[in-house]
Amino acid sequence: MASPFNNPFGVLQASRAAVHVMDNTQEIDPYGWGRLMVAAQAGEAAPYRRLLTELRPWLLRYFSRRLPPSVVDDAVQDTLLAI
């Protein structure tokens, strides 16, 4: 039996989550974000755009549960700029 830690980040494997992005449902692989970041750091623009596009809905949900509604968008934008 394969170990649940067979990914480059040492994190348990998880099922993919369907999220609503830009008016169509897309599959998001959170463990693929690391691969997208590596490609972005190598100067590839398309993986960088995809990473930011996939992170935005996740960040919105994350900050919506933790911050007052009036600062959620700013927190998301600040985070995406930092990435």
Side-chain angles (χ1 to χ4, degrees):
M1 175 177 226
S3 168
F5 296 98
N6 286 341
N7 65 56
F9 307 106
V11 180
L12 287 172
Q13 296 290 336
S15 61
R16 292 178 182 217
V19 296
H20 188 70
V21 180
M22 298 173 135
D23 296 326
N24 36 340
T25 300
Q26 297 179 358
E27 291 287 319
I28 288 186
D29 178 7
Y31 303 109
W33 292 343
R35 290 187 294 275
L36 291 173
M37 182 55 105
V38 168
Q41 289 173 335
E44 297 182 39
Y48 182 62
R49 278 191 304 274
R50 180 175 170 191
L51 176 66
L52 297 181
T53 299
E54 288 188 10
L55 284 175
R56 188 171 196 290
W58 187 92
L59 290 168
L60 280 169
R61 285 191 308 275
Y62 178 85
F63 287 124
S64 293
R65 286 185 231 128
R66 290 164 175 82
L67 299 173
S70 62
V71 297
V72 169
D73 284 332
D74 288 339
V76 170
Q77 290 303 316
D78 288 347
T79 303
L80 292 174
L81 284 172
I83 295 171

